[in-house]
Amino acid sequence: MPVANSQISLLPALSAVLGPSGLLTDPADIAPYAEDWRKLYRGRAAAVARPADTAQVAAVMRLAAAAGAPVIPQGGNTSMVGGASPTEAGNEIILSLSRLNRVREIDPLDMTMTVEAGVSLKAAQNAALEAGCMLPLSISSEGSAQIGGVLAVNAGGNNTVRYGNARDLVLGLEVVLADGSIWNGLRRLRKDNTGYCLRQLFVGSEGTLGIITTAILKLVPRPREVAVAFCAVPDAEAALDLFGRFQAHDAAAIQAFELMSGLGTEFVLRHIPGAVLPLAAPAPFYALVELATSRPNAGLRGSLEAVLEAALEAGTVLDAAIAESEAQRAAIWKLREEHSEAQKREGASVKNDVSVPVSKVPAFIRRATEACARLMPGIRAVPFGHMGDGNIHFNLEQPVDADPAWFLAQDHAIMDCVNEVVREFDGSFSAEHGIGRLKPYMMPDWRGGAELELMRRIKAALDPAGILSPGRVLP
Ligand code: MLT
Ligand code: ZN
């Protein structure tokens, strides 16, 4: 096993702390943790540490710090940018948080939940619903993604338009630092101006500054009414027009406003069993709108119909289906949430998780589609995502019949081509997936100078030996 000299006594020491079920060293047991779900990052690791509580996480970090061993925290391993997968070097220890899996407390009056890092987002959502509240963070990978990872990457997702990103929902954190000390910031206060806001330093740091072990999250009231429509539109401009109509009607009711291209939806219909288009004919683009309210008798269904009727009359909407039941609502969301899986089954794809001002989304899509077609004839643009907050997944699918490996080898040229257009619109090259191992090379160009220098100083202060997720985020 490729373990450095200083690490020779590390594995027995870890085993003593974690017990037999807490440490995996057999390559066959490590393998599932060493590959990301996109199957783009397949590495090796010295071991997988599976602590059962915060004290064990701290003990692992004390031992790793003493040995100078690199550690990568891992949750559900659903990163889109390889952040939680080990490198080929084989000397990293994967620190899985999945055994820290308790929802400790839900307080419906304070509207908070205390949840450990290894709880899946879906399980946390369900626990909140059972308590009459809602955890308003929703992402396609919520069945596997875990709270610690969701916070570490500051996940965004479908409800950002209304409730913000993961960082907007965090009141308190408990974090194990690189030297094994524990920062207990598990406060549930809505107001607390007592020095620097440390929790926000760890949210979005992608495991490079500390290991989130427990969080206190804000909840919102459970909606009394939810109304969902799937709308065919002639182009992305029409989808933006529709978004404007819903904003003008009742902006506070919009819970999600998602865009899908005709091609991306065709992939879902082709590859995902049970996916059905709820309309008579396919269209160039689709918008999914979800309205929700906790107000009694708000008549959301009426709102939805009124806005859609006016939009149909104006030609902004070509056709629309309104969900009549929970099953139909789920079927509509399936068309959106299976986009990534369907693209994977269609062939190789290069992801661009970008954001631009909401008003610029259609122009961005047009310009980026043209730029990519010039770069690689036959490339298939699949723009989709969170139109209501300006975050578009401008994914590119390989040309039909192209060699997937050849296509993936062009990933930097493709991402750089899209990013040039993003820059014209004052956007961001990474809206919600983070930097991981895929995008550190972009950092000097986009965040260079004082900003990157400041990030390096923060990293050096919190992890002077550079053992936490080395090579991720910072180039
Ligand atoms: C999603 O919103 O479904 C994912 O963040 C998108 C992706 O696969 O690029
Ligand atoms: Zn997304």
Side-chain angles (χ1 to χ4, degrees), residues 80 140 158 336-337 340 351 384 386 393 395 432-433:
M80 298 283 191
S140 300
N158 306 330
R336 164 62 187 86
E337 290 185 331
S340 290
K351 289 181 186 291
F384 70 101
H386 320 293
H393 300 302
N395 294 356
E432 63 171 6
H433 295 167

Side-chain angles (χ1 to χ4, degrees), residues 115-444:
V115 59
E116 293 179 352
V119 174
S120 75
L121 177 54
K122 188 82 200 157
Q125 290 168 348
N126 288 342
L129 286 175
E130 272 165 32
C133 304
M134 181 170 87
L135 173 59
L137 189 76
S138 167
I139 58 178
S140 300
S141 56
E142 60 201 21
S144 327
Q146 296 172 7
I147 292 295
V150 160
L151 296 178
V153 304
N154 184 27
N158 306 330
N159 298 342
T160 302
V161 59
R162 174 129 159 212
Y163 304 102
N165 296 326
R167 78 164 69 255
D168 298 300
L169 301 172
V170 180
L171 290 175
L173 282 188
E174 177 187 71
V175 179
V176 173
L177 303 175
D179 63 1
S181 54
I182 301 170
W183 170 55
N184 186 339
L186 285 176
R187 296 186 285 268
R188 64 172 71 181
L189 307 171
R190 305 281 167 162
K191 289 185 167 178
D192 178 24
N193 282 349
T194 50
Y196 305 136
C197 186
L198 295 180
R199 67 181 187 278
Q200 294 298 2
L201 200 54
F202 296 103
V203 177
S205 70
E206 301 185 40
T208 62
L209 300 180
I211 298 163
I212 296 170
T213 46
T214 308
I216 298 186
L217 303 175
K218 281 183 208 171
L219 302 176
V220 300
R222 182 181 177 149
R224 282 193 164 93
E225 274 182 47
V226 180
V228 174
F230 186 79
C231 315
V233 292
D235 46 34
E237 283 79 2
L240 183 66
D241 178 277
L242 183 63
F243 179 62
R245 287 170 184 268
F246 277 108
Q247 272 199 319
H249 186 86
D250 183 4
I254 303 173
Q255 183 156 276
F257 192 94
E258 299 282 307
L259 179 75
M260 284 151 278
S261 70
L263 184 61
T265 308
E266 196 184 306
F267 291 165
V268 176
L269 296 169
R270 185 180 307 158
H271 296 293
I272 305 296
V276 180
L277 188 71
L279 304 172
F285 279 91
Y286 304 96
L288 186 167
V289 57
E290 179 167 281
L291 307 180
T293 182
S294 57
R295 293 191 309 270
N297 313 314
L300 284 187
R301 169 70 193 235
S303 294
L304 203 54
E305 281 173 358
V307 174
L308 289 177
E309 263 166 36
L312 275 159
E313 216 161 285
T316 297
V317 166
L318 304 171
D319 192 8
I322 297 179
E324 303 289 350
S325 63
E326 188 47 44
Q328 287 185 5
R329 180 182 162 214
I332 286 177
W333 269 107
K334 184 184 175 102
L335 291 172
R336 164 62 187 86
E337 290 185 331
E338 294 290 356
H339 258 61
S340 290
E341 184 57 38
Q343 283 167 42
K344 201 163 77 172
R345 295 186 191 181
E346 176 69 17
S349 65
V350 171
K351 289 181 186 291
N352 294 279
D353 162 45
V354 307
S355 58
V356 295
V358 176
S359 59
K360 305 289 181 206
V361 166
F364 162 74
I365 289 177
R366 234 172 244 288
R367 292 267 302 103
T369 304
E370 288 162 7
C372 290
R374 276 196 302 274
L375 179 77
M376 187 186 290
I379 199 167
R380 294 174 291 167
V382 190
F384 70 101
H386 320 293
M387 187 169 201
D389 63 44
N391 174 196
I392 294 299
H393 300 302
F394 195 83
N395 294 356
L396 281 314
E397 196 76 24
Q398 63 169 82
V400 179
D401 297 335
D403 171 32
W406 169 84
F407 179 72
L408 289 176
Q410 325 289 317
D411 65 340
H412 281 206
I414 296 168
M415 290 189 292
D416 295 349
C417 171
V418 172
N419 284 345
E420 262 178 48
V421 184
V422 172
R423 208 186 283 276
E424 281 172 33
F425 290 96
D426 289 328
S428 168
F429 68 99
S430 182
E432 63 171 6
H433 295 167
I435 306 297
R437 286 168 60 199
L438 183 64
K439 299 184 179 173
Y441 86 93
M442 298 177 190
M443 290 292 274

